[in-house]
Amino acid sequence: MGREKQSSVTKFLLLRLPIRPEKQCVFFTLFLAMYLTTVLGNLLIILLIRVDSLLHTPMYFFLSHLAFSDIFLSSITVPQMLMNIQAQQHSISYSGCISQMYFFVLFGCLDNFLLAVMAYDRYVAICHPLHYITVMRKEVCVCLVAGSWLFCCAHALLHNLLLLRLSFCFNNTIPNFFCDLTALLRLSYSDISLNKLVIFTEGGLLFILPLSSILGSYIHIGSTVLRDPSTKKFFKTLSICGSHLFVVSLYYGTLAGVYFFSSFQNASDKDIAASVIYTVVTPLLNPFIYSLRNRDIKQALEIFVTRAKSFK
């Protein structure tokens, strides 16, 4: 055991999803289709927002950054998962694993902040429409996005630095399909009390503050709409808020399940299922919920297709 502890880990082994062998082909095709839809759908959103001047508004500015973040959040983990489905186990270098964890934490955190910023944007638009142009001017929008990037980069760097000081056991098999923070902590024989403290304090703060901002924004939106007797406005707002809140619930529910309610001692299939929802399903839903059901996006898509045909 002493020799095992002194061994330096140069790579980790990632396990495939708990899928029966006869169903591997089906799940591989399903996850591949979901991944391609996520990437192409979000790229289409970014392209339409870029080329259509009518979409150069704060809401779509934030949406383009959310789409960009979702592409990378999915691309960091899903290709690895697809390879793991085909192989019994797949190795990843120590540096590659640490890098994957950094970018996963970064873009997961960025999604968190962008959802809060988008909720605030809707709050100002619905509750204070006369002040919307003043409040959500270009400088403010850029500062909100830049601040989100800055905080998330610092957040991911902090967890990486704390992880680099740990030593790992000779048994280096990660019971997940990617290098997840909690999975790596389970493999360390060093004292992880500081890492756990940071997850539950600093990580919890970055979890609670955006969530509180989202809930506060929609509570104010709900109270404003209920004071307006217009049925059309009520159902329009309900459609927008209901879709957003569904994604928020799915996002924060799986995030809490993976990082706050899972055991640091033992992994379970429930943790892996939550990770799949968090990394595959949520980025896939965003294009449909925020854009493809949106009239402005549909009009921009029609114009884009018409222009593309005219160039032939």
Side-chain angles (χ1 to χ4, degrees):
M1 186 67 180
R3 292 185 63 183
E4 287 183 355
K5 289 187 176 182
Q6 292 175 358
S7 299
S8 59
V9 174
T10 58
K11 66 178 181 179
F12 292 98
L13 299 178
L14 299 171
L15 297 184
R16 63 183 183 181
L17 295 175
I19 301 173
R20 293 179 180 178
E22 63 271 16
K23 295 184 179 180
Q24 287 181 12
C25 184
V26 175
F27 277 93
F28 178 85
T29 305
L30 174 64
F31 286 133
L32 178 61
M34 293 173 71
Y35 173 65
L36 293 176
T37 303
T38 299
V39 173
L40 295 177
N42 283 294
L43 282 176
L44 179 61
I45 290 170
I46 295 173
L47 177 63
L48 293 176
I49 294 173
R50 181 73 176 176
V51 301
D52 195 323
S53 59
L54 296 178
L55 300 181
H56 293 174
T57 64
M59 182 179 74
Y60 293 110
F61 174 70
F62 299 138
L63 181 60
S64 65
H65 282 270
L66 181 67
F68 177 84
S69 177
D70 282 339
I71 290 173
F72 279 88
L73 181 64
S74 186
S75 298
I76 290 166
T77 56
V78 177
Q80 189 89 58
M81 179 181 67
L82 293 174
M83 288 189 292
N84 292 351
I85 292 176
Q86 295 295 333
Q88 186 67 29
Q89 58 185 13
H90 182 77
S91 63
I92 183 172
S93 66
Y94 176 83
S95 59
C97 186
I98 298 299
S99 299
Q100 186 187 56
M101 194 214 75
Y102 172 82
F103 287 108
F104 177 75
V105 173
L106 167 62
F107 288 107
C109 174
L110 188 60
D111 262 19
N112 188 19
F113 274 83
L114 289 174
L115 287 173
V117 169
M118 291 174 68
Y120 176 70
D121 173 74
R122 292 299 84 204
Y123 158 73
V124 177
I126 296 174
C127 299
H128 304 284
L130 299 179
H131 302 284
Y132 181 77
I133 297 178
T134 304
V135 175
M136 300 304 296
R137 58 188 184 275
K138 183 178 180 180
E139 296 81 6
V140 174
C141 295
V142 171
C143 287
L144 287 172
V145 171
S148 298
W149 274 97
L150 181 63
F151 277 115
C152 292
C153 286
H155 170 67
L157 181 61
L158 174 62
H159 284 288
N160 255 42
L161 292 176
L162 290 175
L163 189 68
L164 288 173
R165 70 183 183 85
L166 302 179
S167 299
F168 295 92
C169 299
F170 185 75
N171 180 17
N172 58 345
T173 302
I174 297 177
N176 210 332
F177 58 90
F178 68 100
C179 292
D180 179 51
L181 177 59
T182 55
L184 286 170
L185 292 180
R186 292 187 186 106
L187 296 182
S188 175
Y189 62 81
S190 303
D191 182 11
I192 63 171
S193 57
L194 180 59
N195 300 72
K196 293 169 64 176
L197 179 64
V198 171
I199 288 177
F200 284 103
T201 54
E202 184 265 354
L205 191 64
L206 293 180
F207 176 89
I208 293 173
L209 288 180
L211 179 59
S212 300
S213 174
I214 292 171
L215 294 177
S217 296
Y218 280 108
I219 288 173
H220 281 89
I221 290 173
S223 62
T224 300
V225 172
L226 290 175
R227 290 197 299 265
D228 192 329
S230 174
T231 305
K232 183 178 179 181
K233 183 178 180 181
F234 173 79
F235 282 106
K236 181 179 179 181
T237 306
L238 181 64
S239 175
I240 297 173
C241 296
S243 301
H244 191 189
L245 287 174
F246 173 76
V247 171
V248 168
S249 301
L250 186 65
Y251 175 86
Y252 282 98
T254 54
L255 185 65
V258 172
Y259 290 104
F260 295 100
F261 301 129
S262 64
S263 171
F264 280 91
Q265 302 301 323
N266 299 295
S268 67
D269 290 347
K270 291 182 179 179
D271 295 335
I272 297 176
S275 296
V276 170
I277 295 174
Y278 179 63
T279 58
V280 181
V281 179
T282 303
L284 174 67
L285 290 178
N286 285 340
F288 293 98
I289 290 180
Y290 291 119
S291 300
L292 299 183
R293 295 175 65 247
N294 185 289
R295 184 179 60 184
D296 295 334
I297 292 289
K298 288 181 179 179
Q299 291 178 350
L301 180 60
E302 291 174 0
I303 295 172
F304 179 78
V305 172
T306 302
R307 289 178 179 175
K309 289 181 178 178
S310 66
F311 282 109
K312 291 183 179 181

